[in-house]
Amino acid sequence: VQLVESGGGLVQPGGSLKLSCAASGFRFSRYGMSWYRQAPGKERELVAVISSAGGSTNSADSVKGRFTISRDNAKNTVYLQMNSLKPEDTAVYYCYAHIAPRDYWGQGIQVTVSS
């Protein structure tokens, strides 16, 4: 199983970024996927989740209305569209999948929101 994030970087407050997570090594369309983030000195927190077919999503209150999770099962990829970014969104973002009995994480990608 491999999860590889891309699309991070430096953006000004109010800007947008779209993260991608390319998955391989498992039947992607059968599993829900999630994005987490970890800011310096803080615990890792759940940002957004999406069901296997993409019909159901949920997100943390702190990002509701600004972040959107989506997936393309034909491309084995899950996305996180981040709009109206704030400095407090600065963190390392991780792609996550639970494929019993193990948890799988991507390597993480830095998102920095700063002027």
Side-chain angles (χ1 to χ4, degrees):
V1 173
Q2 270 201 313
L3 302 172
V4 180
E5 300 98 338
S6 62
L10 173 65
V11 63
Q12 291 188 343
S16 297
L17 279 176
K18 185 173 185 178
L19 304 183
S20 299
C21 171
S24 61
F26 64 104
R27 194 71 64 90
F28 180 74
S29 61
R30 291 187 177 181
Y31 294 91
M33 298 293 295
S34 304
W35 285 96
Y36 281 75
R37 68 185 181 186
Q38 187 166 18
K42 295 189 176 182
E43 292 188 356
R44 195 171 295 190
E45 64 172 352
L46 178 63
V47 175
V49 299
I50 188 166
S51 61
S52 57
S56 178
T57 64
N58 204 354
S59 58
D61 288 344
S62 59
V63 306
K64 264 188 173 62
R66 300 188 298 122
F67 290 12
T68 302
I69 188 171
S70 62
R71 66 191 295 160
D72 184 338
N73 284 349
K75 296 183 178 179
N76 286 1
T77 302
V78 60
Y79 305 98
L80 185 68
Q81 177 67 48
M82 305 185 293
N83 299 330
S84 302
L85 282 159
K86 305 175 181 180
E88 51 263 43
D89 295 317
T90 295
V92 177
Y93 284 72
Y94 298 90
C95 185
Y96 165 85
H98 177 71
I99 303 167
R102 286 190 54 184
D103 295 328
Y104 292 91
W105 297 90
Q107 82 283 0
I109 193 159
Q110 179 69 44
V111 171
T112 302
V113 185
S114 175
S115 55

